[in-house]
Amino acid sequence: MDKKKNLSDISIPTNNANFKIGIIVSKWNESVTNALKEGAVQTLLESGVPQNNLFVYDVPGSFELPSAAAMLLDANDEINAVICLGCIIQGETRHFEFIAQATANGIAKVGIEYGVPVLFGVLTCDTAEQAEARSGGTHGNKGVEAAASCLQMLHTHKKMHRK
Ligand code: DLZ
């Protein structure tokens, strides 16, 4: 049992070989977002999603995550879900609240508009230390959590379809 503290109980369903999943990664605070990406990719691969079914793209910052998720869903109608990964850290100005709000609202909106899971794997932290702790440190890895939630949502979606 992993002693690292995660915010949620991570249970991962099986039978994931047919899912095609987009992963959009913000380059801002890149060492943190790379760790989120590694956590998400590793979790998906270990859960049986083939490497060829992962579609990974970079964007400049978290603000671009929602539009890139929509762009990907428009460009490729085989994609079943999109995981958005980013790291927003509080600075001296009010940028944090504007970017964090727009990113969270935008990601939620894309999921609702397209009717597919669009995951919020974005850290919103006061300090770089908090971000490191949540990207493979003492508080787990939000990329892992986002990937696990993605698979849970895909199976929930599958159950909703009429037989
Ligand atoms: C501009 C900006 C700032 C100041 N801080 C962050 C941050 O902490 N995390 C992040 O993901 N992005 C940041 N950005 C960039 C914006 O998300 C966006 O890329 C730019 O405003 C261009 O639209």
Side-chain angles (χ1 to χ4, degrees):
M1 179 69 178
D2 190 348
K3 293 259 170 27
K4 284 179 183 166
K5 182 176 159 192
N6 278 298
L7 299 179
S8 57
D9 184 22
I10 298 185
S11 70
I12 302 185
T14 52
N15 292 336
N16 302 308
N18 292 326
F19 293 134
K20 293 191 166 64
I21 299 173
I23 303 176
I24 314 283
V25 188
S26 160
K27 300 281 278 180
W28 203 280
N29 299 312
E30 197 175 3
S31 63
V32 172
T33 61
N34 271 340
L36 299 178
K37 176 172 68 176
E38 278 165 26
V41 167
Q42 191 186 345
T43 301
L44 296 171
L45 294 177
E46 285 173 1
S47 306
V49 182
Q51 178 89 57
N52 284 347
N53 287 8
L54 299 182
F55 299 81
V56 184
Y57 301 94
D58 288 338
V59 291
S62 293
F63 188 83
E64 284 72 41
L65 289 168
S67 56
M71 282 159 53
L72 177 57
L73 290 165
D74 274 338
N76 184 341
D77 59 12
E78 291 192 338
I79 299 281
N80 302 114
V82 183
I83 298 172
C84 296
L85 301 174
C87 172
I88 310 169
I89 299 179
Q90 178 74 279
E92 290 178 5
T93 67
R94 294 179 65 205
H95 78 270
F96 177 90
E97 52 195 278
F98 288 112
I99 295 172
Q101 278 293 342
T103 304
N105 291 340
I107 289 172
K109 191 160 181 260
V110 175
I112 293 164
E113 280 181 5
Y114 284 81
V116 298
V118 180
L119 284 294
F120 183 70
V122 180
L123 294 170
T124 53
C125 299
D126 289 333
T127 64
E129 290 71 33
Q130 288 177 350
E132 279 156 26
R134 289 159 179 80
S135 55
T138 49
H139 287 258
N141 186 322
K142 189 146 186 101
V144 172
E145 290 183 35
S149 301
C150 179
L151 294 174
Q152 289 169 358
M153 281 297 286
L154 284 167
H155 282 274
T156 300
H157 195 190
K158 240 171 107 174
K159 284 186 206 146
M160 290 171 178
H161 284 100
R162 289 193 206 162
K163 296 269 180 316

